[in-house]
Amino acid sequence: MNMALVGDIGGTNARFALWNNDRIESVQTLAAADFPTPEQAVIHYLSTLGLAPDSLSDVCLACAGPVSGEDFRFTNNHWHLNRTTFRQALQLDNMLLINDFTAMALGMTRLREDERIQICPGEPESDSPSLVIGPGTGLGVSTLLPQGNEQWKVLPGEGGHVDLPIGSLREAALWQQLFGELGHVRAEDILSGSGLMRLYRSICALDNHAPNLTTPAEVSTAALAGDPIAEEVLQLFCVWLGRVAGNNVLTLGARGGVYIVGGVIPRFAAFFQTSGFASSLSSKGCMSGYLKGVPVWLVTASYPGLEGAGVALQQMLEPA
């Protein structure tokens, strides 16, 4: 496969790289707000490398949101992408548009040992699915399926929108508080950056504390400094993530392992390692034994979405 372009586009930033000789290079992050269209962002990126808009024939873009049809409208920025218009603007032979968590899942096939921290020990079953789950702007969930011959298939879904599971009386009281605010309470309503703040405010309201923290970073910093309210917030966040991840392992038979991704958990990785995540993951009553031995890793790689976009493009153009 010739040199290609890969992109990982979220609500705020667009990351671009060249896919060359089975690896990414020349990574740049651009603010979506600085460009009226994704085509112009790509043309700007190429120009910084001294490349003309028509210098590449193949592109894969990983985009946040459901991907189907001719048109794609980005959920959290002003960009709109029409496949035909985009291909014509860059004179492309091949354009692949995939969900951002599909790319994230494929990126797990490229991890080095120093790009992940083991949270739960175990041996992955090589022919079983793996779960990829990560709190960020929302809660992303995907399933990675081995196909043999170093080929992979991803089952995208909307697992972040499942109902928030309750496992204790304290959680039930908090759920009632959240239900009064939201009505339907989804996992993503807690397991995301904004969800961390919602959980903090709910605990303060339930226990009659005045909330004095205003950002997720402030909550995590206060928790690590020993603030008891913030510490409970972070602990419950980890416990709920474990419970949701464990439910997914049971549903999918994901004995290939669990990958924790996204930008939230790495900010408090040491806390996460000793939190209630592992126990809540495996506390499934009569099925608790099924979760024993399923390995869990916290992913610390810098650009797994870009890596995954490259893998997706390569699998399309060079099938086994």
Side-chain angles (χ1 to χ4, degrees):
M1 189 176 83
N2 296 326
M3 185 169 64
L5 174 76
V6 292
D8 183 11
I9 304 174
T12 303
N13 294 317
R15 296 179 179 87
F16 297 110
L18 299 178
W19 180 258
N20 191 24
N21 294 321
D22 196 35
R23 64 184 182 89
I24 58 170
E25 58 185 43
S26 303
V27 177
Q28 289 186 29
T29 301
L30 305 179
D34 291 344
F35 301 92
T37 66
E39 294 94 316
Q40 292 187 22
V42 170
I43 290 169
H44 172 82
Y45 166 74
L46 294 174
S47 72
T48 66
L49 303 178
L51 298 174
D54 61 352
S55 57
L56 302 174
S57 59
D58 307 307
V59 168
C60 177
L61 299 181
C63 305
V67 176
S68 63
E70 179 73 5
D71 293 287
F72 180 84
R73 187 169 295 280
F74 292 81
T75 304
N76 294 315
N77 68 39
H78 63 285
W79 281 358
H80 165 262
L81 190 150
N82 176 274
R83 293 175 190 257
T84 300
T85 301
F86 191 95
R87 287 183 62 178
Q88 290 175 345
L90 297 169
Q91 300 181 42
L92 299 173
D93 294 330
N94 297 289
M95 178 187 177
L96 181 61
L97 202 63
I98 61 175
N99 174 262
D100 61 333
F101 239 75
T102 295
M104 182 68 76
L106 288 171
M108 301 303 98
T109 69
R110 307 265 307 172
L111 290 180
R112 303 190 308 266
E113 282 302 316
D114 63 349
E115 293 179 321
R116 63 185 188 180
I117 300 168
Q118 187 141 55
I119 303 299
C120 300
E123 284 297 322
E125 294 182 0
S126 59
D127 59 346
S128 293
S130 298
L131 171 69
V132 183
I133 183 169
T137 303
L139 178 64
V141 181
S142 280
T143 308
L144 182 65
L145 300 172
Q147 301 289 287
N149 298 320
E150 297 187 356
Q151 295 288 297
W152 304 86
K153 180 179 177 64
V154 176
L155 301 181
E158 295 297 334
H161 297 275
V162 299
D163 297 340
L164 185 70
I166 305 303
S168 71
L169 293 175
R170 176 65 165 170
E171 291 175 24
L174 282 166
W175 182 90
Q176 286 185 304
Q177 183 74 31
L178 292 162
F179 182 79
E181 175 190 347
L182 301 170
H184 180 230
V185 186
R186 308 166 300 162
E188 184 175 276
D189 291 326
I190 293 299
L191 298 175
S192 58
S194 60
L196 188 66
M197 288 307 303
R198 180 175 288 113
L199 181 56
Y200 168 72
R201 292 192 299 268
S202 295
I203 287 177
C204 288
L206 188 64
D207 296 340
N208 295 312
H209 296 298
N212 56 14
L213 304 174
T214 58
T215 67
E218 287 181 7
V219 172
S220 57
T221 298
L224 299 180
D227 179 277
I229 299 173
E231 193 170 351
E232 184 186 12
V233 172
L234 220 56
Q235 186 67 248
L236 277 170
F237 189 94
C238 297
V239 165
W240 253 315
L241 180 60
R243 190 163 292 123
V244 171
N247 286 351
N248 274 279
V249 171
L250 288 177
T251 301
L252 301 166
R255 296 186 58 82
V258 177
Y259 296 89
I260 307 295
V261 299
V264 174
I265 302 297
R267 297 173 188 164
F268 46 89
F271 182 99
F272 184 70
Q273 287 178 277
T274 60
S275 73
F277 168 86
S279 61
S280 65
L281 174 88
S282 60
S283 295
K284 298 299 178 188
C286 66
M287 291 303 294
S288 295
Y290 187 87
L291 279 294
K292 299 296 183 184
V294 175
V296 179
W297 301 278
L298 173 60
V299 176
T300 59
S302 298
Y303 304 111
L306 289 174
E307 295 275 5
V311 172
L313 187 60
Q314 192 154 315
Q315 286 193 161
M316 183 186 77
L317 297 177
E318 298 177 358

